[in-house]
Amino acid sequence: MADEEKRAGAAGVSAQRREEVRAVIERVAGWAATREDVAGVLLVGSWARGAARADSDVDLVVLTTGPGRCTAEDGLVRELALGELIRNRAWGPVTEWRYVTASGLEVEVGIGSLDWARTDPVDAGTRRVVTDGARPLHDPQGVLEALIQVCGRSGQVSSVPASLPKSWSGSGGGAARSRP
């Protein structure tokens, strides 16, 4: 077995790709912690549930108090510097901003209001996203953890994927808070 195959692991994700994803996640979480208008950041999908493949994209949901102000010219989108913008479109209450990095990693940032995380009742689309795998990266008021609790943990893994820093998991996969 070649060295690169050993580093790729069972899911076929190379150590280099895991590091790139980790760096993207750290950048977004760190950026969110500096913004008063960002109420939460949630990693969702295959990377959140520890099932990413070599071709998996990074899916993030950013909840903000001013989603209407998020444009290509606005600091919120521009400050992330996630690569080349390849798509921008609305998906109900969330606007997708899809980027591709120089290495080909696609990063989808869905920007929406706090209403997306409403728990009484939980929107069917939100429930699908959360139960498919969700890990809070920035959740200063516990809104995302409350949403995850209401949706149930059936779509989550009980431990932090090797690709994510353990400091985001909280104890036992519980509430994650932004790092200072």
Side-chain angles (χ1 to χ4, degrees):
M1 182 181 280
D3 286 343
E4 185 60 29
E5 289 174 321
K6 288 179 187 175
R7 284 187 295 248
V13 180
S14 70
Q16 183 178 17
R17 179 52 54 105
R18 287 183 184 277
E19 176 56 28
E20 182 179 16
V21 169
R22 185 198 59 75
V24 165
I25 290 169
E26 280 188 357
R27 182 175 340 132
V28 173
W31 164 85
T34 68
R35 303 268 318 205
E36 287 185 24
D37 59 336
V38 176
V41 178
L42 191 63
L43 175 67
V44 297
S46 62
W47 283 100
R49 68 178 180 272
R53 299 182 321 252
D55 63 345
S56 293
D57 64 349
V58 177
D59 297 298
L60 300 163
V61 177
V62 175
L63 301 180
T64 176
T65 57
R69 295 189 312 256
C70 300
T71 66
E73 295 79 32
D74 181 78
L76 193 140
V77 172
R78 189 181 65 247
E79 286 174 15
L80 288 174
L82 296 172
E84 178 186 347
L85 179 64
I86 59 172
R87 185 169 59 214
N88 173 235
R89 66 177 167 188
W91 291 95
V94 174
T95 300
E96 170 195 21
W97 296 84
R98 182 171 285 273
Y99 300 90
V100 64
T101 68
S103 73
L105 174 66
E106 290 192 19
V107 180
E108 179 182 319
V109 181
I111 299 176
S113 74
L114 278 170
D115 286 345
W116 185 86
R118 190 179 67 242
T119 59
D120 188 22
V122 175
D123 175 77
T126 297
R127 183 178 299 277
R128 263 190 314 278
V129 168
V130 170
T131 59
D132 188 40
R135 178 129 353 248
L137 302 178
H138 174 71
D139 191 22
Q141 297 174 357
V143 172
L144 297 172
E145 186 59 34
L147 173 65
I148 290 167
Q149 291 295 327
V150 168
C151 291
R153 292 194 170 271
S154 61
Q156 291 194 33
V157 294
S158 61
S159 63
V160 178
S163 58
L164 299 179
K166 294 195 184 314
S167 61
W168 289 334
S169 69
S171 61
R177 301 286 186 243
S178 293
R179 295 178 293 153

